[in-house]
Each structure stands twice: as C-alpha cells, then as structure tokens.
Amino acid sequence: MWLKPEEVLLKNALKLWVTEKCNDYFILQRRRGYGEGSGGLTGLLVGTLDTVLDSTAKVAPFRILHQTPDSQVYWNIACGASQEEITQHWEWLQQNIMRTLSVFDSSEDITSFVQGKIRGLIAEEGKVSLVQEDDPEKFREALLRFESWFCLPEKEKLVTYYSCSYWRGRVPCQGWLYLSTNFLCFYSYLLGNEVKLVVSWVEISRLEKMSSVLLTESIRVCAGGEEYVFSMFLHLQQTFLIMEQLGNYAVRRLIDKEMFPDDHILSDPLQITKRGLETHARNEAFRAFFRLPREENLLEVYESFLWVPFSHFNTLGKICVSENYMCFASQDGSQCHLIIPIREILSVEKPDRSSRALTVCLRGKRALKFSEVRDFERLAGTIRRKCGSTASPQHSVSNQMLLEIHEDEEGVMVGQKDSSKAVSTEALMNVFHPHDAENLDPKMLKEKMKEQSWQIHFAEYGRGTSMFCTKKTRDLIVRGVPEMLRGELWMLFSGAVNDMATHPGYYTELVEASLGASSLATDEIERDLHRSLPDHPAFQSDTGISALRRVLTAYAYRNPKIGYCQAMNILTSVLLLYAKEEEAFWLLVAVCERMLPDYFNRRIIGALVDQAVFEDLIRVRLTQLTEHMTDLTFFSSVSLSWFLTLFISVLPIESAVNVVDCFFYDGIKAILQLGLATLDYNMDALLCCHDDAEAVTILNRFFDSVTNKDSPLPPTVQQASAGSNDKGTSRVDISDLIREAYEKYGDIQSEEVESMRRRNKLYVIQTLEDTTKQNVLRVVSQEVKFTAGHLDELYALFKRQHFLSCYWTANSPALLHHDPSLAYLEQYQLGLSQYSLLFSLLQPWGPGTNTHSLALWAFRLIDENHDGLVNFKEFCGALDILYSGTFTEKLKFLFKLHLPPAFTCRPSPFIPVAEDLPHLSRLTVCAPDAPEDGVIRKSPERGRGKVDLQAYLKQWQDEIQKKEESIKDLPRINQTQFIQLSKTLYALFHGDPEEESLFRAVARVTSLLLRMEEVGRRLQENTSPSKTSTSPLQPLSPATSTTSPFQTISPPETIASPRPDAAPVETVTSKLQVAHLGPEPSSPCKTGSDGAPASPDGSSNPSISSSTMETEPANTPSDNTAPTSPTDMEWSFSFEQILASLLNEPVLVRFIEKPVDTENLLDRARKDQLKAQMMK
C-alpha cells in the first residue's frame, strides 16, 4: 500500500528494522520479529510496541523508504503485509522511477518528484468514501489494520477508531477500538497475548458510561450475556455518542426494518461515516428542540445577540438556519427561543455594518434585531436567497389566516346528511358547547382573566409561529390554557402549524383517497370509534364519530407502517374537541412521528422505553419508594396507560386537557414529571402497601379525586367521579398537582431525558427480542427432539444468518418485504441463498458435491406456503429429521427431496448466493395470481388491501386437520427421480470410512429394485390381454437388433463381488441410465446440472453422460415409428420397495442411523458462519 510520504529521521531506530534491499534512492526493510527468524522475545516486544503505538507495521511489516545520497532524512512511502506485495511496489519503482531520477540536479527536486508520484498513486487507488474522512491518510492505514485483524467482508464499512484499554477482570489490555457499521471490534497484543473482540451491534443490550473506584470514566457494553468495559479514552464523550448512534442505527435498520429512504446519511450502510453520524445526531437534536418537521436539517449556525423587547436587553444565543426555518435559542436554552418560518420573512436589512447587525422584517409589522452576528454578510445572503425560493403560493399562508376562525364555513351542522365525507372546520367543543360571552359565572370570569393574561402575553411576546417562548410562557401553561385558545396553542407548540401551512389541501386529498379503502386498520378503527370518550356528547352523534373516523383513517393511509393502534382513538378524540379536523390530523402527525416516536406500533417500543426512563428517575428521585419496592416493574405495568394516552384514560377529561397543554409545550418531560409527582403525593400510602393490587387501588382512587375547579365546562361534559365529591375523600386540583410537579422535578432537562431514552432503547428491544425467542422456542420445542440448549443455539444461528443477509446491502429482500403484522414466528426468515449457506454448515453429512442441490430441494420442500421464505419452525423441522429421525423418517425425507415440488424435471442449477429475490427460490411452482414481483405474501393483508378472512380460516383449518403422513400416501418415484436419488446417496457417502462398502450396498439395492420391477412388469403383461406391439420390457426376438435394457444389467452376485478396481457408482449409474428410456421429446430434463453424478473421488463421471447420449437417440421416437405409450415406457418404485431393499443392507442402515454430534456441528457453524458469508 502506498503511503503519504512521512519523514523518518532514523531509518533503523532502536534496530527495529532490517534492510532487505537498497539502492541509491530507495530502501526495502522488514520489521524485526516478522518473517525469517521471527518469534522469541524480540518478536513479542516489537509486536507489543506496534500495537500500543498503533503502528501499521503490526499488519504491514514491510516498508520502502526514499532517500537521497547527500541527505540524512528518509521518507516512508510504502508498506506491505507480505513479501509479494512489497516486492511489487519495489519493482514498480525500479521500472518507472529510477530511470527518471538521474536527470535531476538537486536532492530537493528528486524528493519532490517522488512525493508527487506517490501522492498521485494514492489519489488513483483511493476509495471514494475516504474523501469524507477527517484524515484520509491515517484512516487508510487504520482500514488496512481493521481488515487484516478481523477478517470481515470487504464491504464492512469502518466508521472510526480510538485508542483505549479493555479490562479483562482487573487487568487492562491496551489496544484499539474499531467501530464499523455492523460491529464493535477491539484488538490488543501485549507480550504475545493477543486479544480480539468482534461484537455485533444488534446483540448489544446495554451501552452506558460508568464510573468506579478504579475507573473514573469508562464505557460498559453488555452483549450476549457478556460484559465488556473500555476506558482510557482521549475523547470519551465523543466515542460514546458515536457508539450510541451506531447501536441505534443497527437496531432500527435490522430489527425494526427501517429503510431511511429520506435520509441520505443513513440510507446506504456502505457509506456511513463518523462525520455523517455526527451530522445526523445534530439534526435530530435541532428538530427535537424546535419541534420542526423531519425534513429539516441544520445547515448553518451563527452566534449573535438578539434584542428582546419585553426585557429591554440583548440576549446572547445562536441563530440556527435550516431549509425552511430560522431559529434562535438563548445560551441557556430556556430563557428565550423562537422559530421564524422563512415564509414569514419579508426582508432582511443591514442598518449598521460596524456592529454587524441585521434586522429581519416579518409579516404583521414585526421586526427582529440581531447584532454582533458572526459572518453577518453570509447570513443575510442566505436568508434573502431562501426568501426568494419560498415565495410560492403554498408558503404564502400568514399567521392571521391560520388563526382565523371562519364562522360562516359550511359542513359543521349537527345531523348533516353527508357528514362522513365533509371535512369539519370547527372544533367539536365550539359546536356542542359554544362560548357564552354573557355568562358571569365565577368560573367563566376566571376563564376570561386567563384569556386576558394570554392577550397581554401576545402583545409583548408576539403571536403565532414567531412568538417568543420564555419562562413566562411556561408559567401561563402551568396555570392552564383558556378553552378558546387551546387548539391554537397546541398547534403552535407542537409545530403542527408549520406542517399544515406547508401542505395545503393534503388532508382533504388523504380523506378522499382513504375513505373507500378497506384494511385491517380500518376494521380496528370502526371497532374503537364508539369507545372514544363515549360519555361526551360530541361522540354520541354522527358529527363527532365521522370526524374521528376520517382523521384516523387518513392517518392510517398516510403512515401504513403505524396504521392504527389502540390509544390513538382516545388521543384523537381530545384533539378534535379543541382543534379543527385538519388541525387535529396534523396534531396527531406531530405526536406519532415526532413527540412520541415508536409509541403507536404493535410493540409500543417508545412507551416501553419511556417507562424504563421513568423507572430510572424513580430510583434517583424517589429513593424511599425504591428501598421499599425493590421490583419497580410494577410501575411499568401500571403507568403504561399514562404514557400511551397522556393521562387521558385515567383522569377526568377536564383535568386531562391541562396535562395535554404541558405535554405540547415540554414534551414527554411533562408526563415524566407528573408521574413522579403522582407517586410522591401518594408516597405514604404506597409505603404501607402489602401487594400490587393494593397499590393499584390507591392510585386509581387518587386519580378519581383529581378535579379541575377552574374548568368552565358544563356538568354534562365533566367526567369527575361522583365519589370525588364525598366528604371523606380529599380532592386534588390538577393545577396544584402540575405546579408541584414543575416545582419539584422541573430541573429535569430534555437533553437528559433524550440521553436516557437512547440508553434504555437497546435494553428494551433486546428484552422484546428475548421474549420473542422464548415464544418461538416454546412453540418449536413441542415438535422437535432438540434439547433446549441446542434449540437456543440454532435460533441464534438462524437469526444471525437473517441479519447477514441485511448487513451489506440497502435492498435486502428481508428488509424490502418485511411485514410487521406477521406473528413472532415469521419475523425472522431466510431466503434461498441464506438458507443454503446455513444448510451447508449444519448438514450432518460430509462436504459432498451435492450440498447445493440438496439445499435447494430441501428449501422447496419445507417452504410449504411457497412464499420463497423459510421460518425457524420450518427450518428446525427439517433439521430435526436429519439429526434425530429414525431410519424410516430420514429415508422418507430424502425420498421426498426427489419428488415435486422439491425436485423437478427442469434443469435447476444452484442459484449463486447473491442477494436473491425470494421468488427465485420457487422455480416451477407459481401461483396464478402472484404479484408482479413474484413474491407471494404470507399475510392475507398486505398494505391497504382487503383483509382475506377466508384465507386465515382456511390456514387455521388446515393446521387442525393436519395429520401424520403415512408412507403409503407417498407417490411412486419415477426413473428420473430414482436416478437422482441414487446419485444423492453416492454423494452422501463421499469421504466416509466405509465408502466402498456403501457404494457396493447401493449397487446391490439398485440392481435388486430393477429386477423386481422387471418381474412385476412381466407378471402384469402375462395377465393382461395380448398386445399388437412388443413391450420394451419383454425380451425381443433374436431377429431384432435391439436387446432389452435390463438384459445388460449384471446379476446381483456379480455386482456384489466387484473387482477391486471397479467403480460401483459408474457401473450402476451407467446401467440405470441405460434402463432409463429417456424423457419425452418435449421434456427439457436429461440429468440436471445440479445433480451431476460423482465418482468415489468426488470428480464428475464423464462415462455416464456419454452413455446417456448414446442411448437417448435410440429411445426417441422417430417420425416413422409409432411412439410408445408412456405407460409402457415409464417404470417407477414405491417408497415401501426402496425401504425394504435398503433394510437388507446393514452398512446402509448404520450409515443413515449414525448418531449426529450436534454439539460439534453447532460449534463449527458458529465459528464458520461469518467466514461462509464472506466466501459466497
């Protein structure tokens, strides 16, 4: 490998290098301790030094130095891992450089010329991805070490590397940590002790920073029941963040099956870089803080001062610019922040160049004054350019238009005839409980005071998307939002107002497109419509129910990956009460896709992650409760509804909406704070509990006692329990509870919550994976004879093979055709190529020439539903027969491998294990209604299609009626299939100690079967009426020149005692081919390239093919000869005949019944699995 020229002051410092070749300008050296005379103490010391210093000499112990005769300075220009590699570089220098150097007059010119040539070579052979690295030359050398040490496929993308120590017990091993797209790797070499770790990211369950007495700061990694501790990082925080990013990326891509189509940084696993991951993390934090759409990315950041008019001073902060927004956050992040959509900016002015000031003029006669802006000229140009590009009709929606309530719009009347199609333009609360301005009730007076406070706030801080958000804004939220402003403020704080403004007409199009569709999601929606706030008058009428149906159906149509999940109906019902229908839709989008990620899916991973965060906060904040209840999983079960419904399902609606107010402003942090405050409020009662049921009763009673004394809603709408008015029950006002939550736990930072989310997500997902594994193993263990330990190892191999099909491609069939609606048994499946690799590792016979064909036939046989994929149950069922089956069961399995649909007459050479599409595994059997891509889906419902309940019922009925297949039910095997079965048996014997005896036994069985068939045919002919033509199976008259095929077969005695130099496989198979009268002219089948006969030495047998070619023309009917009927031409055997014949050969019975060393095979497969993937 050519290296960027680096100065070497001493060519033989400490005598670590030995000169092999030299001339006037170049020196070829070998590292001491490598090659000839390596080993011993010198080799140990040099190897240790190279590893600790991260020297390339560890993996490339040869180098070439450039020198000039009159200089003491040497330049390192090349290195090599082998003598051959470095010799090629040396010869290239001799042929292309040496002749030119003599024309230069000075040493400086010679050195400059050589360096330029070497840099040109590096530029030509350099990889494109290295251009994105911070130091391409250093990264290039690190990549060489990474590939040499860990022997991973070339496609595996190294992301970054760090020097650190790995602790084995209490002993540190200094080495290097390499982080790639799919693996965490570590290498160390100290005094002959080599340590090498390769851990897959998808196996990691814990990744956290920790401190101890010995280690002030370290990183702990838990994977597969093992714990790895790394310390002594130069940049520990940076390393940890990259590890978090890679772990999260692997989980989302390989377990959640995300494709990242809109994220160019993560869409291709072969192009992941450290810089890209850091950019992705920065973009995610930027979007989360300012609640921006997922399409926004942080493009530019400027430090500046912003004039705050309500405080009359300049606050220091940062201006963040994305594609469509300009945002500002003060230095502490909480004092002041605002979001300015580019569509709202009218102009940018530069009033004072000396102070580097900018004035941004907004709609509504507002202006923002920035000063001391670093690079203010560039910022002004950026904003002006973006203002010009966004001056389109879809971005011309002003805040005033978004805030207007069009009282004269139609389609909101109660009882309208076509309410299922018309989109409601009013919040349901305004329709069913209009605001009464003349009501002087004390609660209404307090409500008006709240409205007046917010109006004053708007006057000072602005209103709409460009409003300043400050501590005073949070104080107003905690006190409660007025009913009339709730929908507007929810839209503003969630960021949904920006989504709606930039997608005009989108919701209406979705409604029109989705109302006619029928799917599993729509059926579930219909079932839950009348369960959503059933006591509220708005959802006792067709108006509310129709609006709820439209919003939920439109969202399921927009995001089929989520579709519809329970709890979405409750949340959407509350949104419709205070927001217009289209606004409620965009609020639902903001909640499901930004504020509560991964909450609303079949595994509710997001909710489980936040419950784990909640448990961590309980341990830190409520130590008394932790000491009393050692098992905090109780709080996970009882608090699930708190997170999924934002307390709506446990609190009265008039109190729950105050919680929703805080959630839209502070996110999940508000829910966590309220959960802690709830437990703290009931601390004494919970400490006296004796069991979980008592604790549940206490919490339910508490929630029933929560009221909202300031709610202006009429009694018919309020849902406060009647029991809460009893004198013996103390009532708790929701405003007081929220205020207490902010006072006690308001110091919890959003950044801290996000960090805890990332840390717990790996653990939650691995826990779910373990649960899935236990469910699968429980089902499969009832049908196989494997031990629990062996079944566990088989599952690990199967799952890892599934991941191997996804590691190095963005278009893996396992990712493209993943269906999250499938049962846990179907979540991990293998296509033909991956199944073939795993089958070759686990098959119990020696490495014969027929392994690929057997894998293909076995795949077709066990793929019962013909979808081109095999699940773990199907895989284990076949393997169990080969490992633990009886003689009859194993023989029956081999017999069925040579019957359709497993074995077909069509030539079926083994498909190369490129990333094959699933439909390639079914070469002959295709459903008439198969889709264009050839993949027959397992699930009757794919996407938005109609649910085929009949298919579910039929599948269930078939499972119930499935019975043990009798050997009498098996069809007879014809001549082509029997010949292939004989070849398969010969291939299985290859390499066995009793190989010769087994060949002879098969020869005897084959000859016996052929004679039995001939006798049966003759007996049948004697009892049948005389025929005008002579049967091919009868002996022909001496006058004819053609003899019976069976007359050429030697007697069993002759075959039983062959000459020592005879080859039974050639003899018997040739005779089988002679007896085989050949297929009909239309059949393309002859012998099949995947089943080429093999001689005992494993080579192909040319004599068989020549014999076949000689006999086939004579058997093909000519135009002048009447064709023989298929009944006369075909001969076949039943399974009983083959079984009975084989049972007469003890050596065959011993071979087939030979016990399998399962432990050894599993251990070998585990070690060779990754190597087999590299060799495919």
Side-chain angles (χ1 to χ4, degrees):
M1 183 178 74
W2 299 108
L3 302 176
K4 180 182 178 181
E6 290 185 355
E7 230 178 273
V8 180
L9 295 180
L10 296 174
K11 68 174 181 179
N12 196 16
L14 303 178
K15 298 184 178 181
L16 296 178
W17 293 90
V18 179
T19 300
E20 298 276 329
K21 298 179 182 180
C22 66
N23 56 39
D24 292 340
Y25 299 102
F26 301 103
I27 301 175
L28 191 155
Q29 293 183 328
R30 172 179 55 84
R31 189 73 164 175
R32 189 177 296 276
Y34 296 89
E36 298 181 2
S38 62
L41 182 60
T42 303
L44 295 179
L45 292 174
V46 174
T48 301
L49 185 64
D50 290 340
T51 302
V52 173
L53 299 179
D54 191 32
S55 172
T56 308
K58 177 65 179 176
V59 294
F62 298 92
R63 73 177 183 180
I64 296 176
L65 300 180
H66 164 62
Q67 64 167 353
T68 52
D70 55 349
S71 173
Q72 295 298 319
V73 178
Y74 295 82
W75 298 86
N76 189 10
I77 61 173
C79 67
S82 63
Q83 183 80 39
E84 293 77 13
E85 181 184 358
I86 202 67
T87 301
Q88 289 179 1
H89 290 343
W90 178 266
E91 291 176 353
W92 187 92
L93 292 172
Q94 296 291 326
Q95 297 172 5
N96 298 278
I97 301 296
M98 286 294 296
R99 299 175 183 177
T100 311
L101 297 183
S102 59
V103 303
F104 293 98
D105 297 331
S106 65
S107 300
E108 291 78 6
D109 293 341
I110 293 175
T111 301
S112 177
F113 175 76
V114 172
Q115 291 180 356
K117 278 290 186 182
I118 299 302
R119 289 193 178 96
L121 291 172
I122 293 174
E124 289 179 5
E125 68 180 17
K127 298 180 180 178
V128 178
S129 59
L130 298 183
V131 178
Q132 304 176 16
E133 306 300 335
D134 295 333
D135 190 344
E137 296 301 327
K138 288 291 184 183
F139 192 86
R140 201 159 159 267
E141 297 177 17
L143 181 60
L144 174 66
R145 295 190 293 272
F146 173 74
E147 293 175 346
S148 174
W149 284 337
F150 303 107
C151 301
L152 295 172
E154 292 183 2
K155 290 184 177 180
E156 181 63 19
K157 178 67 173 66
L158 177 64
V159 177
T160 188
Y161 60 100
Y162 299 96
S163 172
C164 68
S165 291
Y166 163 58
W167 288 80
R168 303 180 69 183
R170 296 185 178 181
V171 179
C173 301
Q174 182 64 32
W176 289 84
L177 182 69
Y178 293 85
L179 307 179
S180 67
T181 306
N182 300 298
F183 300 97
L184 178 153
C185 306
F186 176 83
Y187 184 85
S188 173
Y189 184 90
L190 294 174
L191 300 178
N193 183 21
E194 185 180 54
V195 179
K196 189 184 297 185
L197 296 176
V198 179
V199 181
S200 175
W201 290 114
V202 291
E203 296 176 357
I204 294 178
S205 58
R206 283 286 187 187
L207 181 63
E208 57 188 2
K209 291 187 294 184
M210 56 178 289
S211 298
S212 63
V213 178
L214 294 177
L215 304 175
T216 55
E217 280 189 322
S218 59
I219 297 176
R220 182 167 72 103
V221 179
C222 299
E226 300 289 335
E227 183 176 300
Y228 311 94
V229 179
F230 303 95
S231 66
M232 299 179 68
F233 288 94
L234 184 61
H235 304 289
L236 185 135
Q237 181 63 22
Q238 181 191 74
T239 307
F240 182 72
L241 290 177
I242 293 294
M243 294 171 72
E244 271 190 339
Q245 288 280 310
L246 287 170
N248 185 52
Y249 172 66
V251 164
R252 290 173 62 187
R253 194 173 75 89
L254 300 175
I255 296 182
D256 294 343
K257 304 297 187 295
E258 288 191 37
M259 299 294 293
F260 309 98
D262 301 324
D263 193 335
H264 68 280
I265 295 177
L266 303 181
S267 58
D268 187 357
L270 305 182
Q271 300 298 328
I272 301 295
T273 63
K274 174 186 173 185
R275 185 183 303 174
L277 289 174
E278 291 173 342
T279 301
H280 182 264
R282 190 163 57 249
N283 290 337
E284 281 193 329
F286 167 68
R287 288 191 293 264
F289 183 84
F290 291 107
R291 306 278 171 81
L292 297 178
R294 58 188 175 187
E295 297 84 9
E296 298 300 313
N297 296 295
L298 181 59
L299 303 179
E300 299 174 7
V301 178
Y302 302 87
E303 286 189 359
S304 77
F305 287 90
L306 172 64
W307 173 252
V308 184
F310 48 86
S311 300
H312 302 288
F313 72 93
N314 284 313
T315 180
L316 176 64
K318 292 184 178 180
I319 301 173
C320 303
V321 181
S322 68
E323 287 84 352
N324 298 298
Y325 297 89
M326 175 182 175
C327 308
F328 178 85
S330 59
Q331 221 164 16
D332 58 3
S334 60
Q335 181 182 359
C336 171
H337 73 271
L338 74 158
I339 304 167
I340 311 165
I342 299 295
R343 64 179 182 273
E344 298 295 327
I345 299 178
L346 296 177
S347 64
V348 178
E349 300 175 0
K350 294 181 288 185
D352 187 3
R353 285 182 170 271
S354 60
S355 61
R356 295 180 296 175
L358 287 178
T359 300
V360 179
C361 301
L362 308 177
R363 299 177 189 272
K365 299 180 179 180
R366 293 185 57 203
L368 300 174
K369 298 180 180 179
F370 298 93
S371 59
E372 299 298 330
V373 181
R374 185 174 298 178
D375 202 356
F376 75 107
E377 293 278 1
R378 179 185 174 189
L379 175 60
T382 299
I383 297 175
R384 287 170 179 166
R385 186 172 60 255
K386 289 183 175 295
C387 287
S389 63
T390 58
S392 59
Q394 71 173 26
H395 294 289
S396 61
V397 184
S398 66
N399 288 334
Q400 197 62 32
M401 289 178 62
L402 293 175
L403 303 177
E404 272 186 18
I405 299 176
H406 301 282
E407 299 179 355
D408 57 341
E409 293 187 11
E410 300 178 355
V412 297
M413 296 172 57
V414 178
Q416 58 188 11
K417 295 182 180 180
D418 199 17
S419 60
S420 62
K421 295 183 180 179
V423 175
S424 175
T425 56
E426 279 287 357
L428 294 179
M429 194 65 75
N430 294 338
V431 175
F432 289 88
H433 303 287
H435 183 66
D436 187 2
E438 298 180 358
N439 190 348
L440 299 180
D441 183 85
K443 292 184 177 180
M444 290 302 301
L445 291 176
K446 195 165 187 177
E447 184 77 2
K448 291 182 180 298
M449 292 176 61
K450 287 183 181 179
E451 291 181 16
Q452 188 174 3
S453 298
W454 276 98
Q455 295 298 335
I456 295 173
H457 183 275
F458 291 150
E460 293 183 358
Y461 296 85
R463 186 171 187 173
T465 54
S466 303
M467 182 179 72
F468 286 88
C469 294
T470 65
K471 187 176 181 300
K472 186 176 180 181
T473 310
R474 178 180 281 113
D475 294 340
L476 290 174
I477 291 288
V478 171
R479 289 205 295 266
V481 176
E483 297 282 320
M484 295 298 296
L485 297 176
R486 184 160 276 136
E488 174 188 337
L489 294 177
W490 286 358
M491 289 287 291
L492 176 64
F493 297 139
S494 66
V497 62
N498 295 313
D499 290 327
M500 190 173 74
T502 54
H503 295 83
Y506 176 76
Y507 174 68
T508 304
E509 295 173 1
L510 279 183
V511 170
E512 293 175 354
S514 63
L515 278 181
S518 178
S519 64
L520 185 61
T522 57
D523 291 346
E524 293 177 348
I525 290 171
E526 289 297 328
R527 183 187 61 200
D528 289 346
L529 283 177
H530 295 279
R531 303 177 185 176
S532 310
L533 303 184
D535 297 331
H536 198 286
F539 299 101
Q540 295 173 352
S541 70
D542 184 61
T543 301
I545 294 297
S546 297
L548 181 60
R549 177 187 295 112
R550 288 191 294 270
V551 172
L552 293 175
T553 305
Y555 185 78
Y557 190 87
R558 163 190 165 88
N559 192 346
K561 183 178 179 180
I562 293 178
Y564 169 78
C565 294
Q566 289 187 348
M568 289 176 65
N569 60 321
I570 298 175
L571 176 61
T572 308
S573 300
V574 175
L575 299 179
L576 283 168
L577 289 178
Y578 294 97
K580 302 175 186 178
E581 185 176 321
E582 184 177 1
E583 293 174 344
F585 169 79
W586 287 112
L587 285 169
L588 185 63
V589 169
V591 172
C592 294
E593 299 177 9
R594 289 200 300 270
M595 303 186 71
L596 297 179
D598 296 327
Y599 259 62
F600 301 99
N601 53 40
R602 295 185 179 274
R603 299 200 297 174
I604 57 173
I605 292 175
L608 297 178
V609 170
D610 284 341
Q611 283 184 302
V613 173
F614 188 50
E615 288 184 18
D616 290 346
L617 291 173
I618 291 174
R619 292 187 183 92
V620 176
R621 302 283 180 150
L622 302 175
T623 54
Q624 283 183 289
L625 201 57
T626 305
E627 294 170 359
H628 179 71
M629 302 180 69
T630 55
D631 185 11
L632 297 181
T633 56
F634 160 75
F635 295 110
S636 296
S637 59
V638 77
S639 65
L640 181 60
S641 61
W642 303 359
F643 291 94
L644 283 175
T645 65
L646 308 180
F647 283 92
I648 295 172
S649 62
V650 295
L651 288 176
I653 185 62
E654 64 274 9
S655 301
V657 292
N658 285 38
V659 179
V660 179
D661 295 339
C662 299
F663 167 75
F664 278 122
Y665 189 82
D666 277 322
I668 194 62
K669 170 176 171 284
I671 305 300
L672 294 169
Q673 291 174 177
L674 186 61
L676 292 173
T678 298
L679 297 180
D680 187 30
Y681 192 93
N682 295 276
M683 177 73 73
D684 296 337
L686 291 173
L687 292 177
C688 298
C689 289
H690 298 88
D691 53 35
D692 293 349
E694 189 176 351
V696 171
T697 302
I698 290 172
L699 291 175
N700 288 339
R701 190 179 300 138
F702 168 76
F703 288 129
D704 289 339
S705 68
V706 175
T707 62
N708 187 351
K709 62 183 180 181
D710 297 331
S711 175
L713 297 179
T716 56
V717 176
Q718 295 191 24
Q719 296 178 348
S721 173
S724 63
N725 295 325
D726 296 343
K727 295 182 179 179
T729 304
S730 59
R731 289 185 288 180
V732 180
D733 186 71
I734 186 63
S735 298
D736 296 336
L737 184 63
I738 291 175
R739 187 180 300 107
E740 183 177 350
Y742 272 90
E743 289 175 355
K744 289 187 175 181
Y745 309 108
D747 59 332
I748 297 176
Q749 299 296 319
S750 299
E751 293 78 7
E752 177 187 358
V753 172
E754 291 300 322
S755 176
M756 296 172 74
R757 273 180 162 180
R758 291 191 298 269
R759 185 175 70 244
N760 284 284
K761 185 174 182 178
L762 294 176
Y763 173 74
V764 168
I765 288 181
Q766 292 301 336
T767 302
L768 291 175
E769 289 293 298
D770 290 341
T771 303
T772 298
K773 181 180 73 172
Q774 296 304 321
N775 291 334
V776 171
L777 297 186
R778 185 176 64 251
V779 172
V780 176
S781 62
Q782 299 173 3
E783 303 184 13
V784 298
K785 302 181 185 67
F786 288 112
T787 64
H790 291 162
L791 207 55
D792 190 276
E793 290 189 45
L794 279 174
Y795 184 85
L797 288 169
F798 188 88
K799 181 178 176 181
R800 190 177 298 119
Q801 195 68 40
H802 169 84
F803 287 149
L804 287 174
S805 68
C806 310
Y807 275 162
W808 300 287
T809 176
N811 299 314
S812 166
L815 299 176
L816 295 173
H817 302 294
H818 175 69
D819 185 358
S821 66
L822 295 177
Y824 51 79
L825 195 60
E826 311 287 350
Q827 289 301 311
Y828 295 115
Q829 303 177 91
L830 299 182
L832 172 60
S833 64
Q834 297 303 319
Y835 174 83
S836 299
L837 288 174
L838 195 56
F839 180 87
S840 65
L841 292 172
L842 293 172
Q843 56 96 3
W845 308 293
T849 58
N850 222 24
T851 303
H852 293 328
S853 299
L854 285 176
L856 172 63
W857 301 336
F859 184 87
R860 292 175 178 173
L861 179 63
I862 65 179
D863 182 20
E864 297 178 356
N865 52 7
H866 312 320
D867 67 340
L869 296 170
V870 170
N871 62 37
F872 182 67
K873 181 180 178 182
E874 296 168 336
F875 172 78
C876 284
L879 207 61
D880 182 60
I881 295 174
L882 299 179
Y883 278 41
S884 308
T886 62
F887 176 82
T888 303
E889 290 173 341
K890 292 180 180 180
L891 184 61
K892 184 170 71 172
F893 184 78
L894 289 172
F895 186 84
K896 292 170 68 176
L897 288 184
H898 297 81
L899 294 173
F903 177 78
T904 62
C905 288
R906 184 176 304 173
S908 52
F910 179 70
I911 302 171
V913 285
E915 296 301 332
D916 55 353
L917 291 174
H919 68 276
L920 292 179
S921 61
R922 292 297 300 174
L923 300 179
T924 59
V925 180
C926 294
D929 55 348
E932 292 182 1
D933 61 356
V935 180
I936 305 174
R937 313 303 187 197
K938 274 186 185 292
S939 176
E941 182 223 351
R942 287 290 299 193
R944 309 183 186 96
K946 178 67 178 176
V947 180
D948 189 356
L949 297 179
Q950 294 297 328
Y952 280 121
L953 293 175
K954 185 178 183 304
Q955 184 178 359
W956 177 62
Q957 185 178 12
D958 292 343
E959 289 291 332
I960 293 177
Q961 295 180 352
K962 189 175 182 181
K963 60 185 179 67
E964 184 67 25
E965 183 182 40
S966 171
I967 60 176
K968 295 183 179 180
D969 298 330
L970 295 173
R972 296 173 69 87
I973 190 169
N974 64 30
Q975 50 198 21
T976 304
Q977 297 159 356
F978 180 71
I979 291 173
Q980 186 58 59
L981 175 61
S982 302
K983 296 177 184 178
T984 300
L985 290 175
Y986 289 133
L988 297 184
F989 303 152
H990 180 66
D992 190 89
E994 297 183 296
E995 181 177 2
E996 187 67 24
S997 300
L998 290 167
F999 285 154
R1000 293 174 180 177
V1002 172
R1004 291 192 292 269
V1005 169
T1006 305
S1007 180
L1008 178 61
L1009 286 170
L1010 289 174
R1011 288 184 169 276
M1012 290 170 57
E1013 180 66 16
E1014 181 180 6
V1015 171
R1017 286 300 182 92
R1018 289 179 177 177
L1019 290 175
Q1020 183 179 1
E1021 291 165 1
N1022 292 335
T1023 58
S1024 62
S1026 59
K1027 303 179 182 178
T1028 57
S1029 61
T1030 303
S1031 172
L1033 293 177
Q1034 294 177 341
L1036 301 179
S1037 62
T1040 60
S1041 59
T1042 308
T1043 59
S1044 172
F1046 294 99
Q1047 292 175 0
T1048 64
I1049 300 178
S1050 303
E1053 294 79 7
T1054 306
I1055 301 178
S1057 303
R1059 300 186 309 274
D1061 57 343
V1065 63
E1066 296 181 9
T1067 304
V1068 178
T1069 311
S1070 297
K1071 293 174 181 179
L1072 283 172
Q1073 295 286 2
V1074 173
H1076 176 24
L1077 299 180
E1080 297 180 15
S1082 61
S1083 174
C1085 177
K1086 297 204 183 319
T1087 57
S1089 59
D1090 57 354
S1095 60
D1097 61 355
S1099 61
S1100 60
N1101 187 1
S1103 64
I1104 295 176
S1105 59
S1106 62
S1107 174
T1108 307
M1109 293 176 63
E1110 291 173 2
T1111 59
E1112 281 179 347
N1115 296 321
T1116 303
S1118 63
D1119 296 338
N1120 302 326
T1121 306
T1124 308
S1125 65
T1127 304
D1128 292 335
M1129 293 179 62
E1130 293 293 335
W1131 49 264
S1132 61
F1133 301 116
S1134 67
F1135 177 74
E1136 294 96 320
Q1137 290 176 308
I1138 297 176
L1139 175 63
S1141 302
L1142 289 175
L1143 285 173
N1144 290 325
E1145 298 293 338
V1147 65
L1148 284 174
V1149 175
R1150 285 197 307 271
F1151 176 81
I1152 295 179
E1153 287 187 336
K1154 182 167 54 179
V1156 177
D1157 188 354
T1158 307
E1159 190 71 33
N1160 183 47
L1161 280 175
L1162 291 176
D1163 185 61
R1164 186 187 68 184
R1166 186 169 52 252
K1167 294 178 180 177
D1168 297 343
Q1169 190 173 23
L1170 187 59
K1171 187 186 301 181
Q1173 183 74 24
M1174 294 172 59
M1175 296 171 61
K1176 74 171 186 176

